[in-house]
Amino acid sequence: MEGVVDAPMREMLTRIGGIDQCVTEFVRVSERVLPAKVFRKTCPELFNDSNTSSGTPVILQLLGSDPRIVAGNARKAVSIGARGIDLNFGCPAKTVNKSRGGAVLLQEPELVHKIVWWTRQAVPDHIPVTAKMRLGYSDKSLALENAAAIADAGASGLTVHARTKEEGYRPPAHWEWIARIREHVSISVTANGEVWNWQDYQRCREVSGCDDVMIGRGLVAAPDLGLRIKALQRGDDPEHLSWPEMLILLQQFLEMVEQQLAPKYVHGRIKQWLKMMSREYPQATAMLQEMRLLKQVPEVRQFLHQYSL
Ligand SMILES: Cc1cc2nc3c(=O)[nH]c(=O)nc-3n(C[C@H](O)[C@H](O)[C@H](O)COP(=O)(O)O)c2cc1C
């Protein structure tokens, strides 16, 4: 998730556990093959065999509309260690869609096919090429056609965020459409959208018929969600990360973000995570309120430290 699940967040979440695989934020490609440093910035896990330090595989996501350029960038990313390429056909951002990237491409299934096909041809057979799509741009009329275009072009997997671009992030996610797509293509389909807890996870799997579920915001809000899901699947009674434990994670996150970002952005990331976790931890709302004027890294660090005493 761009601007949210970057390398430090992937590191935090995969340390906690319960996650089988991550996908990077998208790398936007438009006119040329990007230098290696761009891929390494978005995906520093490339230095670690495309794994987070706890060993969770990370797939690199590309977003672009020129099949040859996307393919060239995929080849480059693989040459420096990417273990898989995911193609973004879901981003709803105006700036991205205006330059013919993300969900807007779902209006052109033939182009979607070409992008996937060129990318598949550009990288070795053992490297998975997958795609992520929404159900459409303004309506769902091309959902099956787009999914078939992706599958026919040689993708080995497809993640479906069960909403159109127009539907943005408004609940509900239409998991029943994922079932229709799954029946329409023979590649593996992963369900995505609006999974915030164990009950959502179960219902999403039931309705979509998918074994695999991708969780975005729900996992940032409740970082132990993956662990809890796995425990419940085994029939165990899962433990919940307590608020004091979350405070320790926040301090660790600060240290990681500080290494990655310019100081002026650090407080924003801490506040962003607090805001997202307030859905699960009501204490985060009060904390956020108290720290709203803090901007300097040392004062944020001091505040987090005091708070956890
Ligand atoms: C801030 C934000 C950034 C996102 N960035 C990406 C991205 O870079 N690539 C992508 O495939 N999806 C991206 N998404 C979409 C999510 O991966 C996911 O499909 C969507 O949030 C629905 O799933 P959820 O309800 O589990 O969050 C983003 C979503 C949000 C809210």
Side-chain angles (χ1 to χ4, degrees):
M1 284 166 57
E2 205 224 353
V4 182
V5 186
D6 56 1
M9 182 57 85
R10 288 193 292 274
E11 188 61 31
M12 295 303 304
L13 296 177
T14 58
R15 258 190 211 178
I16 295 164
I19 300 169
D20 298 317
Q21 182 175 288
C22 295
V23 181
T24 64
E25 304 161 271
F26 64 76
V27 176
R28 198 163 160 188
V29 298
S30 49
E31 282 159 11
R32 64 197 171 103
V33 173
L34 296 165
K37 66 176 182 198
V38 176
F39 297 111
R40 291 182 176 131
K41 185 157 184 259
T42 300
C43 186
E45 293 93 342
L46 286 169
F47 291 113
N48 188 36
D49 209 13
S50 281
N51 293 313
T52 64
S53 66
S54 44
T56 309
V58 180
I59 301 296
L60 194 130
Q61 188 179 70
L62 300 179
L63 181 152
S65 57
D66 183 317
R68 289 178 178 80
I69 303 279
V70 176
N73 276 286
R75 188 184 297 118
K76 176 70 174 270
V78 169
S79 78
I80 58 166
R83 59 158 69 218
I85 300 292
D86 189 55
L87 299 168
N88 182 316
F89 301 112
C91 181
K94 268 202 187 85
T95 45
V96 171
N97 286 181
K98 232 172 36 200
S99 56
R100 226 176 157 211
V104 76
L105 294 171
L106 297 172
Q107 297 179 125
E108 302 179 70
E110 279 176 25
L111 180 55
V112 167
H113 179 276
K114 273 194 191 142
I115 295 169
V116 178
W117 190 87
W118 275 86
T119 305
R120 180 62 278 171
Q121 301 308 307
V123 302
D125 289 349
H126 70 279
I127 299 289
V129 172
T130 57
K132 166 102 177 288
M133 63 176 273
R134 282 183 176 247
L135 295 177
Y137 188 71
S138 44
D139 62 46
K140 303 175 184 63
S141 58
L142 295 175
L144 299 181
E145 206 175 318
N146 276 306
I150 287 165
D152 293 348
S156 55
L158 170 63
T159 301
V160 182
H161 175 189
R163 277 183 278 242
T164 63
K165 183 262 169 196
E166 287 295 308
E167 288 165 345
Y169 293 95
R170 282 190 308 279
H174 307 281
W175 297 327
E176 68 283 2
W177 267 91
I178 306 179
R180 291 184 67 180
I181 289 175
R182 208 177 49 81
E183 280 157 20
H184 195 66
V185 297
S186 51
I187 58 175
S188 95
V189 174
T190 299
N192 170 241
E194 234 37 60
V195 171
W196 298 94
N197 51 45
W198 163 247
Q199 287 78 12
D200 293 339
Y201 171 81
Q202 276 183 309
R203 260 191 340 104
C204 175
R205 286 187 56 180
E206 244 168 67
V207 174
S208 69
C210 293
D211 287 334
D212 296 324
V213 175
M214 173 182 275
I215 305 181
R217 294 162 302 163
L219 202 61
V220 183
D224 59 355
L225 181 56
L227 268 189
R228 281 190 279 132
I229 286 173
K230 294 218 158 162
L232 286 160
Q233 275 177 326
R234 288 193 305 270
D236 292 345
D237 195 11
E239 288 202 14
H240 202 305
L241 268 179
S242 67
W243 177 239
E245 286 170 320
M246 287 302 296
L247 289 173
I248 293 170
L249 294 177
L250 269 170
Q251 291 181 69
Q252 294 172 351
F253 185 56
L254 172 78
E255 302 308 323
M256 276 185 218
V257 172
E258 203 187 348
Q259 285 170 29
Q260 189 96 355
L261 296 181
K264 64 177 176 181
Y265 298 118
V266 172
H267 73 101
R269 296 303 311 283
I270 301 296
K271 291 171 186 168
Q272 179 191 55
W273 197 12
L274 272 171
K275 189 158 183 235
M276 293 184 80
M277 67 171 76
S278 62
R279 192 180 166 115
E280 193 72 13
Y281 296 88
Q283 302 94 322
T285 311
M287 187 169 171
L288 195 54
Q289 177 66 14
E290 278 182 54
M291 69 177 293
R292 72 189 189 286
L293 297 178
L294 305 184
K295 294 210 161 55
Q296 306 302 323
V297 177
E299 55 187 15
V300 173
R301 178 181 293 112
Q302 173 70 8
F303 177 81
L304 291 181
H305 179 67
Q306 293 279 337
Y307 222 92
S308 58
L309 290 179

